[in-house]
Every structure is written in C-alpha cells, then in structure tokens.
Amino acid sequence: SHDGTKLAWSNMSTVQIAELKQGSWTVSHTLDLPKVSALAWSPCSSHLATWELYAIVNGQEPKPNLNIWNGKTGAQVRSLFQKKFQGWCPVWNQDETLCSRMVNNEIQFYSNNDFSKPANKLHIQKVTEFSMSTNARRSDKDRTHVVAYAPGAKGAPSFCKLFQYPNFEENQVLAHKSFFQADSVDMKWNSGGTCCLLLIQADVDKTGNSYYGKQQLHGINVKGDAFMISLSKEGPIYNASWNPAGKQFAVVYGAMPAKTSLFNEKGDQLFDFGTGHKNL
C-alpha cells in the first residue's frame, strides 16, 4: 500500500492481505480469487482493487472481473465488468474523495468511496483514454480536473478536452487540443492538478525517420491554454516528468545521445542539461 502498512499479493489460488502490526507482518484476510492477475491499493489503503481476465464460459452468464474490496474488513464492496486490461484500475485522488473509471463512451465518478452508483458521468463519443488529476480536495479552492482523449476518424483530428469536475457540459470545456497522427496519448498531471502534459504517440512515422513511430509533446492547462513543447533535437521522446512542486518539468528526447531539458509550466525552456546515453 502507499503508506507501507498493508501488503497484498496473489499466489494464483488466493489473494492474501497482510498488515504491519508492532513491527511484524500478519495475514489478516484471504480472498478466494484464483485467477487474479493484477491488483492495486487506493491511496489511503482503504480499498483494494483486483482484476482478472474477462472470460465467457459456454452456458454461463458472464461474471464481473473487476472487484473492489474493503482493505480493513476484507469484504467485497463492488463487482464490475472491465474487459480490457488497459486502464483496468480505478483512479482515486489522494484523499479518496473521488474515484473514476472508464466504461464504453463515458467516464464514471464515485464520491467518497460510495460505489453503489456513480455520482457523476462524463460522456464523450468514442473516448478511449482519460486522466483525472489526483490532487487532494482539502478545501473549496482545490479543484479536480479531467482530460479525455478521443481518436480521430474519417479525416477528422484526434482531440483532448479538459474539464473541471463536475462541470461536464460541452460549453464548460476549459481547454481543447486537437492533433493529427495520434494513436494514443500518455497524460501526465502536475501535482496541483492545474496543467497536464500530453505525450502523443503515432505508431507509424510517415516520414520514415523512425521504426518506432513518432511522438509529440503538448501541454494543456485550466486557464484554457493549449501549447506544443518545442524540442531542439529530432528523435523519440523517452520521458517527461514534473517536479514535486508542479511548476517545472523535464523532458528526455532526441536520437542517442539523448538530450535533457527543463521547462516551465508554460512550455518555455529554462535550462539545457546537455546530452547523454539515457532515457529517463
């Protein structure tokens, strides 16, 4: 778990939950889950999510394969269907006041770990990826923001839209970024939940310069700005990462030896660290 007081693992016959008490680990719960292949703790260790491969058995009704368990009692809280492994894990914010997951063409939000029904929904046609800012909501000034991505079709561009929870109407979009040559997007929020980096991946580089496709790096923020990060060396983008304060980020990019540069949250380069054989 995130606080280091709980440990969960699968031995392919059961899932074991152990707790750290007085300096030693003790198994507190055993869950009869022989097919679990992924599990994750919520940030405050209150819940455990488990996922197993979705399967259809002839003559039987399909069974939910995503389960959420109470980390203290070991009781099952909710069972859900999650066919794909990609994006299987529910996303909580730091204080667990919100939890989100994607289902078909909508993103569902649960409030204060009440999984009986979604508190809010964001519906976007053909949405394939999303990211919720995970900053805690300790006061009325703290806002949760969501970026949703939908791929382009029939010559139309792909796009990302940024919303403030729970204002999800089309006329309430805070920022919008569209782009061509995009097959997937890796979204990286800063710690304050005010700016999100969009690492855009195209599986095929139409220029033929790279076997591994082509990447672009964009930024989008709650002020309505959408901008492209200009990189001074051609080649792949290996990594982009925010500093803990969420005011600056570093990017490792370019043909080897790769270059590393530091940028502010507006996308302006602040410092050049030079080149080296690294990808992180």
Side-chain angles (χ1 to χ4, degrees):
S1 62
H2 296 266
D3 61 5
T5 61
K6 292 184 176 69
L7 179 65
W9 69 94
S10 170
N11 57 17
M12 303 312 293
S13 60
T14 61
V15 170
Q16 305 282 316
I17 299 177
E19 295 185 54
L20 181 62
K21 296 181 179 179
Q22 298 179 347
S24 61
W25 290 94
T26 304
V27 174
S28 54
H29 303 289
T30 299
L31 309 178
D32 185 19
L33 298 170
K35 298 180 181 179
V36 164
S37 55
L39 43 80
W41 285 101
S42 63
C44 298
S45 311
S46 67
H47 289 75
L48 177 71
T50 62
W51 183 88
E52 54 191 74
L53 187 67
Y54 179 76
I56 298 177
V57 180
N58 290 335
Q60 297 182 15
E61 286 290 325
K63 295 181 179 180
N65 60 320
L66 169 61
N67 293 285
I68 300 175
W69 309 85
N70 186 303
K72 185 175 182 180
T73 66
Q76 187 179 67
V77 176
R78 187 69 195 274
S79 294
L80 301 161
F81 287 97
Q82 177 64 40
K83 295 182 179 181
K84 296 181 180 180
F85 177 74
Q86 180 183 359
W88 77 268
C89 187
V91 179
W92 281 270
N93 65 347
Q94 291 175 1
D95 57 1
E96 297 189 12
T97 54
L98 272 181
C99 179
S100 57
R101 64 183 296 260
M102 188 169 65
V103 183
N104 297 325
N105 287 322
E106 69 180 23
I107 303 161
Q108 300 178 348
F109 298 85
Y110 299 88
S111 180
N112 296 312
N113 283 323
D114 179 4
F115 294 99
S116 58
K117 64 177 182 179
N120 284 283
K121 297 179 181 179
L122 169 58
H123 182 87
I124 295 181
Q125 193 68 28
K126 296 183 179 179
V127 61
T128 59
E129 297 179 58
F130 85 101
S131 181
M132 181 182 76
S133 66
T134 58
N135 54 299
R137 306 198 316 172
R138 299 185 178 93
S139 70
D140 292 338
K141 295 181 179 180
D142 296 321
R143 306 295 187 205
T144 296
H145 295 95
V146 181
V147 172
Y149 163 74
K154 297 181 180 180
S158 304
F159 64 83
C160 284
K161 292 182 179 180
L162 188 153
F163 298 86
Q164 177 182 301
Y165 177 89
N167 304 324
F168 293 147
E169 297 297 327
E170 187 61 31
N171 62 358
Q172 295 175 312
V173 174
L174 295 182
H176 179 281
K177 181 65 181 179
S178 58
F179 32 76
F180 291 94
Q181 298 184 29
D183 294 299
S184 63
V185 177
D186 185 13
M187 308 172 199
K188 298 174 180 284
W189 282 101
N190 67 349
S191 57
T194 58
C195 187
C196 185
L197 297 178
L198 310 173
L199 181 55
I200 299 161
Q201 172 71 43
D203 295 337
V204 177
D205 182 359
K206 294 183 178 180
T207 66
N209 292 331
S210 174
Y211 173 81
Y212 299 101
K214 186 177 181 179
Q215 298 87 24
Q216 305 173 55
L217 186 61
H218 296 260
I220 193 169
N221 65 33
V222 300
K223 296 178 181 178
D225 303 319
F227 48 90
M228 183 174 182
I229 313 301
S230 297
L231 303 175
S232 58
K233 189 174 185 179
E234 292 289 331
I237 301 173
Y238 304 104
N239 193 39
S241 181
W242 288 97
N243 69 357
K247 299 296 185 182
Q248 301 168 350
F249 61 92
V251 185
V252 183
Y253 61 96
M256 287 294 171
K259 198 171 189 178
T260 304
S261 299
L262 182 69
F263 299 84
N264 64 16
E265 57 186 338
K266 297 179 181 179
D268 303 321
Q269 183 171 314
L270 301 176
F271 190 77
D272 183 348
F273 292 97
T275 59
H277 291 275
K278 53 193 171 184
N279 56 14
L280 288 175

